[in-house]
Amino acid sequence: MTAITLDTISREYGSGIFGVRDVSLAIEEGEFMVLLGPSGCGKSTTLRMIAGLEEITAGRISIGARDVTELPPRERNVAVVFQSYALYPHMSVRENMRFGMKMRGTPLAEQDARIKAASEILGLVPYLDRKPGALSGGQRQRVALGRAMVREPDVFLMDEPLSNLDAKLRGEMRQELVKLHRRLGKTMVFVTHDHVEAMTMGDRICIMRDGHIEQVGAPLDVYANPANTFVAQFLASPAMNLVPARLAATGNMLSIDAGPVSGVLPVAQSALYARAVAEPVMLGLRAEDVLTEPTPDTLPVTGRVVMREALGAENLIGIEVGGVTLSARTGRHFLPAFGDEVTLHADMAAMHLFNAASGAAYPRKA
C-alpha cells in the first residue's frame, strides 16, 4: 500500500489563470479518497497531476517514499481509469487486458496469471473472448478496471469512471468498486461530481471549488458539519435551505428572525450561537430537518406548496413563504397538492448557522 502527499501543488496556464492553486492533501495508505466538486473545480486536473499527465507548475507530489514531481507517468506505477473506457475495439477482452503487459515485456505466463486473477475478481471470465462492442457499459467498465489491475500498480486513479453508465449500473458499479477496494487494499483516488458516489464510496472526501480545497473529512462528518455554505449546499440533494437571519438575546435565550422561521431557539443552540448575536447570518436547514410533526425543538412554518416530487419511498416538497422557498423531505404518505397551504416544523436542534459575509460555518459544538 502506498500513501500520496500533495504539497502546495499548483497548475497555472499563464496570465494568472490557475486550474489548481496551492492544494495540499495527504492521502493515506490504502485509503479510498474521493475528489468531489462541480465542473471546472480542479478535481480532474489534480488527479492528472498525480498521474503525471498534467504539468505541475509549483509544489511537490510524493507517492510512497518517492518524490515523483518530475517523473514521467510510466515511472510512477499508477493506473488511470478514465470516463471513456478507451478499449481497443478490434481486440478481445483478454487482449485488451494483455496489451499493456505485452508492451512492458511481462513474461507470457505471468500475463496469463494476472488476466485470470483479475477476470475472476471482476466476473469477466465468460467474456474474455468477446470484443468490446459485444459488451454492456458496465462490462466495458470492468474491463477497463481489469486492464488497470493487471498492471499491479501502487495507486489506482479514477476520473469519473461511472458517469457514462445508467442509474442502475452506476449503483451496481459503486458497490463493485467498494468491494474491489476492500479486496485489493490499494490506495484509490476517485474523481466525481456526484455527491451520492462520494457519500457511499469514500473513506474520506475532498470537496473542491475554483482550484482550492474547501473541506476534507469522512463523508458523514462533512455532511453533519459543513465548513461553509458551498459545502452545505453541494453535498446534498436537494441543497440545504439557506435563509438570511439575525439573532437577538432574549434573557438567557436567543431568538432568531429568519423570515418564515422565527422564534426562540432551544437551550443548546442559544448557548452555542451567542457570539453571533446582531451579526448578519444565514440559517441552514437540511430538507430532512423540516418535519411534518412538531417536537419541543421545532418552530412552525406555514406556506403554500410550490414543488412536489413523489419518489416512492419518500417525497420532496417545497413551500413558499414570503418569497422564500423551503424544501422538506417527507414520508411517502405526506404529499399535499400544488397550492395547498401546509404547516411544517423546522427542527432548530438540527440547525446550521453561517456567517453571511464569509459563508463560514459557526461550530456546532462548544
Side-chain angles (χ1 to χ4, degrees), residues 53-301:
L53 302 174
E54 190 87 25
E55 180 187 358
I56 301 168
T57 52
R60 313 297 298 177
I61 293 180
S62 297
I63 298 177
R66 297 191 304 155
D67 185 331
V68 301
T69 309
E70 306 297 334
L71 292 183
R74 66 180 179 275
E75 295 182 21
R76 300 191 182 200
N77 199 25
V78 302
V80 186
V81 180
F82 294 104
Q83 178 178 350
S84 60
Y85 314 125
L87 302 176
Y88 297 108
H90 62 288
M91 293 183 183
S92 68
V93 169
R94 189 191 312 275
E95 294 310 310
N96 265 282
M97 294 173 69
R98 186 188 303 279
F99 184 77
M101 294 185 290
K102 185 177 179 180
M103 291 297 99
R104 289 189 295 275
T106 305
L108 183 60
E110 186 174 347
Q111 293 178 29
D112 289 338
R114 292 187 189 182
I115 291 170
K116 181 176 183 293
S119 59
E120 287 175 350
I121 290 172
L122 295 169
L124 290 172
V125 173
Y127 312 109
L128 286 174
D129 295 318
R130 294 189 188 181
K131 292 184 178 178
L135 302 177
S136 70
Q139 289 164 346
R140 292 179 199 175
Q141 192 55 270
R142 287 203 294 273
V143 176
L145 285 168
R147 186 175 54 188
M149 286 174 60
V150 297
R151 291 191 55 196
E152 297 186 347
D154 293 327
V155 172
F156 286 86
L157 306 174
M158 304 184 191
D159 192 1
E160 303 207 44
L162 308 184
S163 56
N164 286 338
L165 305 179
D166 62 39
K168 182 176 182 296
L169 276 176
R170 278 204 306 273
E172 292 173 356
M173 285 302 299
R174 285 202 304 266
Q175 298 174 32
E176 291 302 318
L177 281 172
V178 171
K179 290 177 185 176
L180 181 64
H181 175 249
R182 289 177 177 171
R183 184 162 183 171
L184 298 180
K186 294 291 185 76
T187 305
M188 294 186 177
V189 183
F190 185 96
V191 164
T192 183
H193 62 270
D194 187 324
H195 73 279
V196 174
E197 290 179 4
M199 291 292 294
T200 56
M201 297 175 68
D203 294 322
R204 287 191 299 157
I205 56 178
C206 171
I207 300 180
M208 300 184 69
R209 174 174 60 162
D210 297 334
H212 297 278
I213 291 176
E214 294 289 327
Q215 188 171 359
V216 180
L220 291 178
D221 289 342
V222 175
Y223 188 84
N225 299 290
N228 52 45
T229 53
F230 174 79
V231 174
Q233 292 203 293
F234 193 82
L235 197 64
S237 181
M240 180 184 285
N241 298 297
L242 289 176
V243 185
R246 283 199 176 263
L247 301 179
T250 306
N252 293 328
M253 304 292 285
L254 296 185
S255 61
I256 188 167
D257 180 1
V261 184
S262 299
V264 178
L265 295 181
V267 173
Q269 282 64 42
S270 290
L272 192 61
Y273 298 126
R275 62 179 172 145
V277 168
E279 293 183 5
V281 295
M282 301 288 287
L283 168 66
L285 286 168
R286 294 212 180 273
E288 59 266 30
D289 297 322
V290 181
L291 313 176
T292 56
E293 299 292 336
T295 74
D297 293 326
T298 59
L299 294 174
V301 187

